[in-house]
Every structure is written in C-alpha cells, then in structure tokens.
Amino acid sequence: MNIKDHIRGVPDFPKPGILFYDISTLLAHPDAWQVAMGRMAREIIRFQPDVLAGIESRGFLVAAPLALKLGCGFVMLRKKGKLPGKTIRHDYELEYGTDTIEIQEDAIAEGQRVVILDDLLATGGTMAAGIQLLRKIGAHVTGAGTIIDLAFLPGKQRLKELDVPFTCLASYDE
C-alpha cells in the first residue's frame, strides 16, 4: 500500500502558495492507518525507546498509538500553559518571533530513551526545540520520526546537526 495515496494535498492552506499535506484522510481510512502504524512501529522499534514523545497536536496522533503498539510510555510536548502541574519549558526561534514548548517536570526519568514524533517534518524548528527540551530534562533522544518529510526543506539537516537519526513513511520533494 502506498501511504501517499491516503494523504491529501490542500493547496493554498494555511495561506496562498502553501501546499498543506493533510493526514486526516489517512486517519479516516482504517486499513491505511493500520498499515501506517505498523510500518512506523517497525521503524521506531530500531531506536529502542522507553518513551515516545508527541509534539502538539498531530504528533499525539502518531505517538500515542505507537506507544501502545510498542509497549512504551507516551508523553506530550505542548505549547506554553497547556499542561497541568510543574513544567519545564524551552523557548525557541521561529521565522518571525519566538515560541515555547513545555513538558511536565516528572514526565521523563533521567537517562530514559526517548523517540520524538510528529506528523510532518518541514524546517525542523519545533522538532529541534523538542529534542533540546527533552535533553534539558535528562532524556537520551535516540531518534525522531514523522509520517511525512518535506525533503525540500531543511528539517532533516537540522536533526542531523543535533545527531538524532530520523525516519519517515512518505517523503515529498516539492
């Protein structure tokens, strides 16, 4: 099964000139979603994770079912102010400004092996911020994964600079 057959391209979203790769059509097709999660599981298990970290919010849709399938824990990396209890935060630069990503203070034990997941890798800014946050709290980030990689953007290079191996199910060159 070609996973790309179940990913919809939405032109001019969220703004003119952008082609948005929408996984909601993949999520809506039970056989395709099952195949995608099976393939992702085979890739992610190579990183020997204890915990999977999902980036808000579509990353939760990838990480949570994979954690269940692999018998791992699941933690959420969220925008500022969205998690209860004490949190650790990491501020990072965006193209036009800054943003903050947080994790609950007790979500990861020192030295745990963590794989960070999202639906799509583009410039890699949020993924890199998540890796830096996880390292800040003592996690050993063994890998990163997404359903989609926009290969024409610098995301993979950014992860390589952070020495984090990366895997994806579908890569787009434009």
Side-chain angles (χ1 to χ4, degrees):
M1 176 183 296
N2 187 344
I3 297 300
K4 286 183 174 182
D5 292 342
H6 300 281
I7 297 170
R8 173 177 46 197
V10 179
D12 298 319
F13 184 84
K15 60 185 182 181
I18 302 290
L19 178 60
F20 183 83
Y21 291 98
D22 181 16
I23 66 163
S24 57
T25 46
L26 175 64
L27 296 169
H29 191 283
D31 291 339
W33 183 234
Q34 186 78 358
V35 167
M37 288 297 94
R39 289 179 185 171
M40 250 343 233
R42 283 192 299 278
E43 290 294 315
I44 298 306
I45 197 69
R46 296 180 305 121
F47 301 132
Q48 301 177 320
D50 299 313
V51 176
L52 301 182
I55 297 173
E56 185 170 340
S57 65
R58 289 183 300 270
F60 301 166
L61 300 172
V62 178
L66 279 177
L68 186 62
K69 192 173 195 69
L70 297 175
C72 298
F74 164 68
V75 299
M76 297 176 285
L77 304 181
R78 299 210 61 189
K79 295 179 194 251
K80 183 179 176 182
K82 299 287 185 179
L83 289 169
K86 292 185 178 181
T87 60
I88 307 291
R89 62 194 267 182
H90 180 74
D91 298 318
Y92 62 103
E93 297 293 321
L94 296 170
E95 191 174 344
Y96 300 104
T98 61
D99 207 350
T100 300
I101 192 167
E102 294 183 330
I103 190 169
Q104 289 173 315
E105 183 178 68
D106 58 356
I108 305 281
E110 178 87 24
Q112 276 192 302
R113 299 171 60 85
V114 179
V115 173
I116 186 168
L117 296 158
D118 206 349
D119 68 321
L120 180 140
L121 181 67
T123 64
T126 303
M127 182 79 73
I131 291 165
Q132 292 164 337
L133 174 61
L134 289 164
R135 287 176 172 167
K136 186 187 288 188
I137 65 167
H140 176 55
V141 182
T142 59
T146 61
I147 294 172
I148 300 167
D149 171 38
L150 300 183
F152 57 94
L153 294 173
K156 278 194 296 196
Q157 180 59 36
R158 204 164 189 176
L159 299 184
K160 189 175 182 179
E161 290 167 4
L162 291 169
D163 198 28
V164 174
F166 172 74
T167 190
C168 72
L169 294 184
S171 185
Y172 292 87
D173 295 324
E174 56 180 285

